[in-house]
């Protein structure tokens, strides 16, 4: 008898009249919002302007969603193109299935387009949004909880996830790998924020740290999962992907720190230009105020001189009258 476990929702969708509200979609949307909001704060702190992160996200997010879905469909093609399967299901993104590797890869292409249009270096933008992406993943993983998918091996631990009977799944209690990855991603976000403040990471190294740290966790979490997957030399395909991407990220950090140490001084030329124009206006305004004060002082002095001259004239007349009387 299980004394404690994490329950799964009876359904992943709530119908508001004819409109279906899906938990998986909500988790993705909330995650994107958090990533853009927090990325905007970090971008402004780095010297950028408000709204830039959102403008570039308009390019990055759609590309990322397409990339994530493509990676999932390609690596799990048997779920959609095998005998008895319906290939139309490949487009049903709300049923789950986004590969983070494809999302980051194609999302980076979208971000590059957005950055290029605004004259912004992609590495600086990536550094700003890195912790936000990790938080978005932490939130997005709860979409798997709504869909009762991507759980681990069977367990009777107090925090086991209870899965109900359904298509392609057996009822029981399993390791909540969605929760493990969610907590790991929160830790990755905190690590990147700390390291960025401590070592002033720049030129894409904060983003590379996020990638390396995420891959380190994804490797052991992926190893626990029991859902169907392709295996290469005894390991799941995503484990190999995590290993390769981890090595690439670490290599980038080492090489980049030697070739381009420090952090970018200017991340958004537009922001620098606005700051310069604002400073110039303030200097002009200050100069105008000083000029106005000088003119006012001159007028006061002129008035004072006129008054003295009048007083002298009056005194001269009085002297003359006095002399005549004596």
């Amino acid at each position: 008898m299980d004394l404690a476990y994490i329950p799964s929702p009876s359904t992943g969708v709530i119908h508001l009249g004819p409109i279906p509200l899906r938990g998986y979609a909500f988790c993705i949307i909330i995650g994107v919002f958090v990533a853009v909001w927090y990325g905007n704060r970090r971008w402004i702190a780095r010297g950028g302007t408000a709204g830039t992160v959102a403008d570039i996200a308009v390019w990055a997010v759609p590309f990322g969603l397409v990339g994530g879905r493509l990676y999932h469909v390609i690596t799990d093609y048997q779920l959609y193109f095998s005998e008895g399967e319906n290939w139309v299901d490949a487009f049903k993104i709300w049923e789950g299935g986004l590969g983070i590797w494809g999302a980051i890869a194609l999302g980076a292409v979208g971000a590059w387009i957005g950055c290029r249009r605004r004259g912004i270096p992609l590495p600086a933008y990536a550094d700003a949004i890195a912790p936000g992406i990790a938080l978005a993943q932490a939130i997005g993983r709860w979409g798997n909880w709504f869909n009762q998918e991507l759980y681990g091996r069977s367990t009777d631990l107090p925090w086991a996830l209870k899965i109900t009977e359904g298509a392609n799944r057996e009822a029981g209690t399993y390791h909540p790998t969605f929760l493990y990855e969610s907590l790991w991603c929160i830790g990755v976000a905190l690590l990147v924020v700390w390291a960025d403040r401590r070592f002033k990471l720049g030129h894409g190294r904060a983003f590379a740290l996020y990638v390396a740290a995420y891959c380190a966790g994804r490797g052991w979490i992926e190893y626990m999962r029991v859902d169907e997957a392709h295996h290469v030399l005894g390991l799941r395909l995503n484990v190999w992907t995590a290993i390769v991407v981890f090595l690439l990220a670490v290599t980038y950090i080492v090489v980049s720190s030697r070739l381009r140490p420090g952090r970018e001084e200017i991340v958004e030329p537009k922001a620098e230009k606005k700051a310069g124009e604002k400073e110039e206006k303030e200097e002009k305004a200050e100069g105008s105020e000083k000029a106005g004060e000088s003119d006012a002082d001159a007028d006061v002095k002129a008035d004072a001189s006129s008054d003295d001259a009048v007083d002298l004239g009056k005194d001269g007349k009085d002297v003359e009258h006095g002399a005549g009387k004596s």
Side-chain angles (χ1 to χ4, degrees):
M1 179 179 178
D2 298 318
L3 299 179
Y5 56 80
I6 301 173
S8 291
S10 58
T11 179
V13 57
I14 299 175
H15 290 275
L16 187 63
I19 303 174
L21 305 177
R22 304 181 184 278
Y24 186 88
F26 268 111
C27 290
I28 298 298
I29 292 171
I30 294 172
V32 170
F33 174 81
V34 170
V36 172
W37 168 76
Y38 190 52
N40 182 65
R41 291 187 57 183
R42 284 175 52 83
W43 183 251
I44 293 174
R46 290 285 298 273
T49 58
T52 296
V53 170
D55 291 343
I56 297 176
V58 170
W59 289 89
V61 172
F63 272 74
L65 291 175
V66 172
R69 189 60 176 178
L70 281 175
Y71 181 89
H72 167 72
V73 172
I74 292 172
T75 56
D76 291 312
Y77 61 87
Q78 72 281 355
L79 300 177
Y80 307 100
F81 303 105
S82 298
E83 185 177 353
E85 302 293 344
N86 187 359
W87 64 271
V88 176
D89 292 341
F91 297 95
K92 297 179 180 179
I93 192 172
W94 56 85
E95 293 183 355
L98 287 175
I100 185 60
W101 319 109
I104 294 297
L106 210 55
V109 174
W112 175 79
I113 294 173
C115 287
R116 186 175 178 82
R117 288 168 61 89
R118 297 181 69 99
I120 293 172
L122 178 60
Y125 179 81
D127 285 341
I129 64 172
I133 294 177
L135 292 177
Q137 289 179 251
I139 297 170
R141 271 305 175 199
W142 284 84
N144 302 131
W145 175 67
F146 280 102
N147 286 353
Q148 296 196 47
E149 60 183 359
L150 306 186
Y151 43 84
R153 295 187 292 270
S154 179
T155 182
D156 58 357
L157 290 170
W159 56 85
L161 174 67
K162 185 174 183 179
I163 296 296
T164 60
E165 190 72 26
N168 301 319
R169 65 173 188 256
E170 296 181 4
T173 54
Y174 302 86
H175 277 284
T177 50
F178 85 90
L179 178 60
Y180 298 161
E181 187 167 339
S182 180
L183 295 175
W184 183 269
C185 287
I186 293 174
V188 170
L190 295 176
L191 171 65
V192 173
V193 170
W194 171 81
D196 194 25
R197 292 177 179 175
R198 175 68 176 79
F199 302 106
K200 303 296 182 183
L201 301 177
H203 302 287
R205 288 188 287 275
F207 184 81
L209 176 61
Y210 143 71
V211 172
Y214 171 74
C215 289
R218 180 62 185 268
W220 65 266
I221 294 171
E222 184 75 24
Y223 187 74
M224 296 179 65
R225 282 167 45 173
V226 294
D227 53 297
E228 186 177 355
H230 295 288
H231 286 72
V232 178
L233 298 178
L235 291 179
R236 292 166 66 96
L237 176 61
N238 280 335
V239 175
W240 283 110
T241 303
I243 293 173
V244 172
V245 176
F246 172 83
L247 293 175
L248 290 175
V250 172
T251 301
Y252 179 87
I253 293 174
V254 174
V255 174
S256 175
S257 61
R258 292 179 178 177
L259 297 179
R260 307 183 71 182
R263 177 186 283 181
E264 301 92 338
E265 294 183 1
I266 300 175
V267 297
E268 189 169 0
K270 181 180 177 181
E272 193 72 14
K273 183 179 179 181
K274 283 185 176 180
E277 291 176 351
K278 182 179 180 181
E279 185 177 349
E280 185 178 349
K281 287 181 179 179
E282 290 177 352
E283 290 178 353
K284 287 183 178 180
E286 186 177 350
S288 298
E289 290 177 1
K290 289 182 178 180
E293 291 175 359
S294 299
D295 293 341
D297 291 341
D299 292 339
V300 170
K301 289 180 180 179
D303 293 340
S305 300
S306 300
D307 293 340
D308 291 343
V310 171
D311 291 339
L312 287 172
K314 289 180 179 179
D315 292 341
K317 290 180 180 179
D318 291 340
V319 171
E320 290 179 358
H321 291 310
K325 288 179 181 178
S326 61

